[in-house]
Amino acid sequence: MSYRYKHNEANGENNHDGTDANFSENCGAEGESTDPAVESLRTRQIKNFLLTLLISRGVPMLLGGDEFRRTQGGNNNAYCQDNETSWFDWTCLARHEEIFAFARDMIAFRRTHPILSTEQFYTGAEIQWFGPQAEYRTGPTQGARRSPA
């Protein structure tokens, strides 16, 4: 949530390495920011993503450091960097304790709800569908609008 674009210039391949599909957002400022509004939005979005991941069924996949905003300076292919780019900056843990505590608490929540860790997909008996007005539906497409063919 700090970089919209990759920043792999230091890798020595003219920023051609690593994927261009970052699927990320910078919340109005590329890289580090001191703007309280940007930082507040980043924190909220990170918590939203952690919540979505950790209440989803299956095996959650986090990159080490996601729980305290480790960014690698936007470098999404830092395998060749044996320096500050790829090293863990443990001061981030203190600076982003709120996110770390949220991730820790969500992991604890997940552990107390084994339904989130099951290896099977949901069955029809486990799913209930509701429409925009909270009305019960028999399936996901009942009453859904379809575009003309």
Side-chain angles (χ1 to χ4, degrees):
M1 294 305 307
S2 296
Y3 294 90
R4 181 178 292 159
Y5 308 104
K6 70 178 181 179
H7 292 273
N8 298 355
E9 296 84 4
N11 296 355
E13 298 182 34
N14 296 315
N15 209 35
H16 295 294
D17 64 315
T19 182
D20 291 328
N22 254 2
F23 304 113
S24 189
E25 179 52 57
N26 63 21
C27 298
E30 189 74 359
E32 292 189 27
S33 174
T34 57
D35 182 334
V38 169
E39 286 301 301
S40 176
L41 179 57
R42 286 177 177 175
T43 297
R44 189 169 60 247
Q45 289 295 77
I46 291 167
K47 287 180 176 182
N48 288 340
F49 292 133
L50 284 168
L51 174 71
T52 301
L53 176 68
L54 292 168
I55 65 168
S56 297
R57 200 175 213 181
V59 178
M61 301 292 282
L62 281 173
L63 179 64
D66 282 350
E67 71 280 14
F68 57 83
R69 289 185 60 178
R70 178 175 174 255
T71 68
Q72 296 186 151
N75 191 323
N76 68 11
N77 197 31
Y79 71 95
C80 63
Q81 300 292 329
D82 185 16
N83 55 37
E84 290 82 6
T85 300
S86 63
W87 297 343
F88 274 58
D89 178 0
W90 293 104
T91 64
C92 288
L93 181 57
R95 284 195 320 266
H96 303 294
E97 169 63 28
E98 178 184 355
I99 294 170
F100 178 78
F102 184 81
R104 182 192 60 225
D105 293 347
M106 285 306 307
I107 291 167
F109 175 85
R110 183 179 176 82
R111 285 185 176 152
T112 63
H113 294 83
I115 189 73
L116 299 173
S117 300
T118 187
E119 295 181 11
Q120 288 81 30
F121 288 108
Y122 290 107
T123 66
E126 296 174 295
I127 297 175
Q128 293 183 2
W129 296 97
F130 295 91
Q133 306 305 320
E135 72 276 11
Y136 179 75
R137 295 186 174 184
T138 58
T141 59
Q142 178 187 358
R145 294 184 185 142
R146 294 179 187 239
S147 58

